[in-house]
Amino acid sequence: MDVEPEPETPPTPEASPEAIRARADALRDARNWPAAEAAYREYLAERPRHWQIHVQLGHTRKEQGDLEGSLPHYQRAAMLAPDDPDPMLQAGHVLRNLGRGGEASVALARALALAPDSPALRHVVALLRHRTQPAPDGPMLPPLPRPTGAPTQLAFDVTDLLDYLRAARTPTGIQRVQMGILGALLASPQRPANVILVGFEGSTWRWWHVDEAAFRRVLALARIGGRDDDPAWRAATAALVAPDARPDAPIVAGCTLASLGNAWGVQEYFRGLRRLRATTPLRYVAFVHDCVPLAMPEHCLDLTVRLYARWFAALSLHADGILANSRATIADHARFAAPLGPVAPARLIRLAAEGGASPVAAAQAAEALRAPRPGEDFVLFVATLESRKNHLMVFQAWLELIRRLGADRVPRLVCVGRPGWRAEAALALLEGSPDLRRKVTVQSGVSDLALAGLYGRCLFTVYNSFHEGWGLPVSESLAAGKLAVVPAHSGLLEAGSPGAVFFAPQDQPDLVVKLEMLLTDPAQRAALESRIDRASARRDWPDAAREVLEALASPHDQPESPSFLPLGRHLPMGWRGDGLPSPSMAWAERVREGLAWWWQEDWGVWMRDGIATLALPSDQPEGTPMRVVLELRGPPGPLNLRLRARGARAEAWRGVALAPGEVLRCVLQAEAGPGGMAVDLDCGDGVPLGDRFKRVVGAGLVGVMLCREDDLAARLSALERAEA
């Protein structure tokens, strides 16, 4: 019997390349990296020239932890698509993570050449600029001479103001000064044609051109509103504070660069200034608003004191001129700067207290606040809530008035200011006293417009402080025709001179007497108000802006006094000090040249991968035999360090092997050059530090000493230090 054959099963159709790719993409989206890798390889077997999929294959290897294995795939994609920046960008990121900074910088530079308008690429390439710049060579030369005569350009640095506006909308004292002066200057029909706004990006050591129209828009919005979440505000600030999307600052030779704020918190600020000066001769002028962290460190955060002291010390080696808001501040600056060397000339810029707001609009804005209530009498206290403003003493005085006069005869105290530091005692008293809670209101986020309405409605103002550079709320109160009760000290004596009521500093009984008189004797209060010199107090911001322009346009052209590193002294490179600025602080900042340095730490400072340079200016004649003693620290892994001295010429490179954590002292000898001595330290690709910043470091520098070769006392001191 014949058996019929079974029908053949038709073959399963092979998946198309498109179907394989779709499956690979789905596995990738599910983060199933091994299966996605297999599927992408299967696809590339059919379509080997699809460069985007080579990039995806590289991603699958990278996500599985195989950074080395991902590189060939990115490099293959770059060969297939030589005009697209993405493969080189991906390769550059991997090379950075592998600690191969030199190769990473080349790859990323190629990517940027293909997409020169990409802000993200511009930023990442700038981060590796220390690996792309050629090694310094030749003799150690003196710095370029500072320009003389009238400036060719005025560049106003607004870095710290932009940093503030990134996080807050309502300005405090220093920001109000910057915004007032610059707003008036930029809006003036008589403004010079050579004015620009610039910012400094510390992570990339780059000065960038701030868009003036965007800046003026933000200033206008900051004055009329207080809400940080306002969409118009967010859009305006986002357009302003984006350095990577902006061109380099067009700073020209002969420029005067002026900082009207406080740059003491800006990362790598003075190193950025020195880099700019290395190619562009310019003057630098800084505005000193007060010396509170030096005069009253107990009322500041420890970090603030340390940052400010280092900034103030570095001013002695970098500033060509100082602007200040009062004669008291000029005296403070001179007192603290005297031990550091020649004191830069200072010019007085009296602050403004401009009204300008529509009284109707200001009153409406004030009425929208939660306090005071419509028609309610109140006294105004405008100040950041921090220990220096001593709200505690004012609250205690208010409590004494309530107990002495009765709550019905004591008006509300409205405190306007952002929370600061060390105000816990004042806030605890307020929280613990039902009488105070009924009579004291604290609020922040008050716009300039609403604040003008509060000045117009209050009975009078009170302002307390342990120390002030000026005291802008005092000027604003008097300009509005309202008495200000203030302590008789520091810059407050000048701010309050048009008619303030002064009390003995930190004398609570005297404060209570003055407050009681103003509250219980309306006729006396009216008589004192009538004596206020409002014309003197009400000084427009255009007046202050005009004084700034005059000071910058006609500098004190004193003979330049070169600054030389003290010879024969050990210079610690760590972030030490007792809160007061010192020459060692200034020089520890000054000698770090170039880009291949991290920030200072307590023990010293790490170098980056690549070549770090120490610039050691001296007044020794060219050709003088010199000696440099370096105290080095090994990174977490072994490091082969190359180093050399440069004086009259570049000496030969020497090799030093640093074991992990090893402390080593190294001596270099050379003849002095026209500008002194330099030391170049080549750390190669460095070693991962393993910190939360994922830093790659070279050697650490603990200290340095420069001396003449024949200075036996200095050499013996260095030897004794090495043996200690």
Side-chain angles (χ1 to χ4, degrees):
M1 178 176 165
D2 294 334
V3 178
E4 293 186 12
E6 295 182 6
E8 294 183 5
T9 302
T12 302
E14 293 184 3
S16 67
E18 289 72 19
I20 298 171
R21 178 184 173 186
R23 175 164 52 87
D25 289 345
L27 292 166
R28 175 203 62 197
D29 294 343
R31 304 185 67 81
N32 186 344
W33 303 113
E37 177 188 355
Y40 281 131
R41 290 187 184 277
E42 184 181 350
Y43 174 85
L44 286 171
E46 299 290 331
R47 302 280 175 81
R49 299 189 61 80
H50 195 153
W51 69 266
Q52 291 96 334
I53 303 306
H54 282 285
V55 170
Q56 293 299 323
L57 186 54
H59 291 344
T60 64
R61 295 306 309 158
K62 180 176 68 176
E63 294 293 341
Q64 293 177 77
D66 183 12
L67 295 180
E68 289 282 4
S70 69
L71 269 178
H73 302 294
Y74 295 137
Q75 291 164 345
R76 173 64 175 162
M79 291 176 61
L80 294 171
D83 295 330
D84 196 285
D86 187 58
M88 280 292 95
L89 172 63
Q90 302 301 332
H93 284 315
V94 168
L95 288 164
R96 281 183 70 195
N97 290 330
L98 287 170
R100 292 155 62 177
E103 296 173 71
S105 64
V106 172
L108 291 167
R110 286 178 57 189
L112 181 61
L114 295 170
D117 296 326
S118 166
L121 262 174
R122 219 167 29 233
H123 183 80
V124 75
V125 168
L127 289 174
L128 285 175
R129 196 184 304 168
H130 65 289
R131 296 305 304 269
T132 58
Q133 293 192 335
D137 212 344
M140 173 62 173
L141 300 175
L144 296 174
R146 304 288 167 80
T148 59
T152 60
Q153 180 187 54
L154 296 177
F156 290 94
D157 174 23
V158 294
T159 305
D160 65 303
L161 179 57
L162 297 188
D163 286 345
Y164 181 89
L165 294 173
R166 284 186 176 95
R169 180 168 181 172
T170 51
T172 58
I174 292 177
Q175 291 79 39
R176 290 168 69 84
V177 173
Q178 287 178 275
M179 293 165 71
I181 292 176
L182 288 175
L185 188 154
L186 297 175
S188 171
Q190 288 78 41
R191 59 174 281 182
N194 58 351
V195 171
I196 62 171
L197 302 177
V198 304
F200 176 66
E201 171 54 50
S203 65
T204 58
W205 312 279
R206 176 174 170 261
W207 294 88
W208 56 285
H209 193 190
V210 176
D211 181 75
E212 182 180 319
F215 182 80
R216 295 175 67 175
R217 168 70 173 158
V218 166
L219 293 197
L221 289 173
R223 292 188 183 281
I224 63 174
R227 291 181 59 89
D228 297 343
D229 58 355
D230 174 18
W233 171 257
R234 288 187 171 181
T237 52
L240 176 64
V241 296
D244 295 325
R246 295 288 301 161
D248 290 344
I251 297 175
V252 301
C255 172
T256 291
L257 174 64
S259 171
L260 301 184
N262 252 346
W264 50 262
V266 179
Q267 176 187 357
E268 303 290 11
Y269 188 80
F270 286 114
R271 201 139 56 94
L273 177 61
R274 291 195 301 277
R275 279 185 49 76
L276 184 59
R277 273 180 163 163
T279 57
T280 310
L282 56 83
R283 291 190 193 90
Y284 175 68
V285 176
F287 201 121
V288 176
H289 292 264
D290 61 62
C291 297
V292 169
L294 306 181
M296 298 274 175
E298 64 273 19
H299 294 294
C300 302
L301 294 176
D302 179 63
L303 178 62
T304 298
V305 174
R306 298 174 78 189
L307 284 170
Y308 188 95
R310 299 200 73 83
W311 171 80
F312 191 94
L315 276 183
S316 66
L317 298 178
H318 295 84
D320 301 294
I322 298 295
L323 305 178
N325 51 15
S326 66
R327 288 182 291 275
T329 299
I330 291 175
D332 283 346
H333 170 263
R335 173 164 58 99
F336 288 110
L340 305 175
V343 179
R347 299 281 283 267
L348 176 64
I349 308 295
R350 284 188 54 222
L351 300 187
E354 182 178 10
S358 161
V360 174
Q364 291 174 343
E367 288 174 1
L369 300 173
R370 60 185 176 87
R373 295 185 299 271
E376 181 183 25
D377 286 340
F378 68 97
V379 174
L380 184 62
F381 184 3
V382 180
T384 302
L385 269 75
E386 60 186 38
S387 66
R388 177 168 62 94
K389 305 298 185 181
N390 201 359
H391 285 71
L392 177 62
M393 180 174 149
V394 177
F395 290 172
Q396 290 170 332
W398 224 253
L399 193 57
E400 174 67 20
L401 288 169
I402 293 171
R403 291 169 177 168
R404 182 181 298 187
L405 303 177
D408 291 343
R409 298 182 64 195
V410 178
R412 179 173 299 280
L413 176 66
V414 176
C415 300
V416 173
R418 300 182 63 193
W421 48 83
R422 297 182 180 171
E424 294 83 3
L427 295 176
L429 177 63
L430 179 59
E431 178 64 26
S433 170
D435 288 339
L436 279 181
R437 289 202 305 273
R438 283 191 290 269
K439 286 292 183 177
V440 176
T441 300
V442 176
Q443 54 189 333
S444 58
V446 176
S447 70
D448 280 4
L449 188 61
L451 184 59
L454 292 177
Y455 279 125
R457 270 196 55 201
C458 70
L459 296 174
F460 57 89
T461 70
V462 61
Y463 189 84
N464 196 24
S465 174
F466 284 97
H467 193 89
E468 285 296 322
W470 176 256
L472 198 56
V474 176
S475 299
E476 292 172 334
S477 176
L478 297 173
K482 297 302 174 74
L483 291 170
V485 182
V486 298
H489 63 64
S490 61
L492 293 174
L493 289 168
E494 296 168 62
S497 63
V501 175
F502 289 104
F503 65 92
Q506 311 316 318
D507 187 336
Q508 183 181 322
D510 191 36
L511 172 61
V512 171
V513 168
K514 299 298 194 301
L515 293 173
E516 183 177 4
M517 177 268 294
L518 294 178
L519 291 176
T520 60
D521 192 343
Q524 177 69 0
R525 187 173 74 233
L528 291 172
E529 274 187 1
S530 68
R531 299 172 190 169
I532 294 175
D533 185 352
R534 295 184 65 177
S536 175
R538 191 190 181 281
R539 173 179 157 80
D540 292 343
W541 283 117
D543 295 332
R546 192 159 42 249
E547 284 188 0
V548 168
L549 288 177
E550 290 172 358
L552 299 180
S554 55
H556 295 291
D557 278 332
Q558 298 178 339
E560 186 175 348
S561 54
S563 299
F564 301 115
L565 180 69
L567 297 182
R569 298 183 193 173
H570 173 77
L571 174 65
M573 293 298 297
W575 197 14
R576 301 178 182 134
D578 57 2
L580 290 176
S582 67
S584 291
M585 282 184 184
W587 281 106
E589 164 58 47
R590 171 66 179 82
V591 298
R592 292 179 301 141
E593 205 59 71
L595 305 178
W597 295 94
W598 289 108
W599 53 81
Q600 290 172 283
E601 302 179 37
D602 283 339
W603 59 268
V605 59
W606 289 114
M607 301 169 207
R608 295 176 181 253
D609 54 331
I611 298 177
T613 295
L614 280 170
L616 309 173
S618 78
D619 59 353
Q620 298 302 297
E622 186 174 355
T624 302
M626 305 293 289
R627 171 177 291 223
V628 181
V629 181
L630 304 173
E631 188 175 352
L632 302 172
R633 172 179 171 177
L639 179 76
N640 291 319
L641 175 69
R642 295 195 314 145
L643 67 169
R644 70 175 181 186
R646 281 188 294 116
R649 61 185 175 277
E651 303 294 329
W653 288 97
R654 293 174 46 188
V656 173
L658 276 174
E662 176 185 14
V663 176
L664 178 70
R665 286 165 179 82
C666 182
V667 177
L668 297 175
Q669 296 163 293
E671 294 180 349
M677 295 283 295
V679 177
D680 303 316
L681 303 105
D682 185 355
C683 299
D685 280 332
V687 174
L689 185 58
D691 66 346
R692 65 189 181 94
F693 302 105
K694 299 181 179 180
R695 286 185 288 173
V696 174
V697 302
L701 182 63
V702 180
V704 61
M705 186 196 74
L706 174 69
C707 69
R708 291 173 57 105
E709 184 65 33
D710 60 6
D711 188 346
L712 299 182
R715 292 172 56 177
L716 178 60
S717 175
L719 182 62
E720 290 174 344
R721 178 176 175 82
E723 293 176 349

